[in-house]
Amino acid sequence: MSSLDDAFIAKLWHVPVNNIVIDLCAAPGGWTQVASRTMNKGNNSSSSIIIAVDILPIRKINNNVITIIGDITTEATKAKIKSEMQGAAADVVLADGAPNVGASYDKDAYEQNEIALH
């Protein structure tokens, strides 16, 4: 990621003041890395965490990034996320996921809405 990405994120989310960022559909982890670097510049970086979730594994980034392998539409994965948050609220939620697309527009549109509503 470039310094342009860091500047964009810092300006848009004010990440250094946040404590919890959830990155949904995070693999391969590029935005998780940018958020982690940006948050680590803040004064409270030791208490800041990023929870990165995807159905694919994500390589270890650093100690303030927790990775969860799971489907974000399932109750089991939602419970894992909530457990890692330990009762705190998320300050930022990143979500750039999309369902696998096929030949049926109706099915694809339904699955995209299903992801957005969860």
Side-chain angles (χ1 to χ4, degrees):
M1 294 286 162
S2 71
S3 61
L4 177 61
D5 295 325
D6 290 340
F8 167 75
I9 288 179
K11 184 173 183 177
L12 182 62
W13 314 332
H14 307 287
V15 170
V17 300
N18 293 311
N19 291 319
I20 298 178
V21 171
I22 300 173
D23 187 0
L24 302 175
C25 306
W31 284 112
T32 305
Q33 291 176 26
V34 172
S36 177
R37 280 198 319 265
T38 306
M39 289 175 71
N40 283 333
K41 293 177 185 175
N43 294 333
N44 298 324
S45 63
S46 63
S47 64
S48 298
I49 64 165
I50 299 167
I51 302 169
V53 186
D54 202 292
I55 58 174
L56 300 173
I58 301 165
R59 184 183 55 195
K60 180 169 176 56
I61 296 170
N62 63 34
N63 292 334
N64 72 324
V65 176
I66 299 164
T67 59
I68 296 173
I69 299 172
D71 180 341
I72 63 169
T73 64
T74 66
E75 293 303 318
T77 301
K78 292 176 194 176
K80 288 179 189 176
I81 295 168
K82 288 178 184 177
S83 173
E84 292 295 348
M85 293 172 64
Q86 300 178 359
D91 299 297
V92 174
V93 177
L94 302 173
D96 65 347
N100 292 329
V101 293
S104 170
Y105 173 80
D106 291 339
K107 181 176 184 277
D108 295 342
Y110 177 82
E111 288 179 356
Q112 183 66 44
N113 286 322
E114 187 77 11
I115 288 173
L117 295 173
H118 283 276

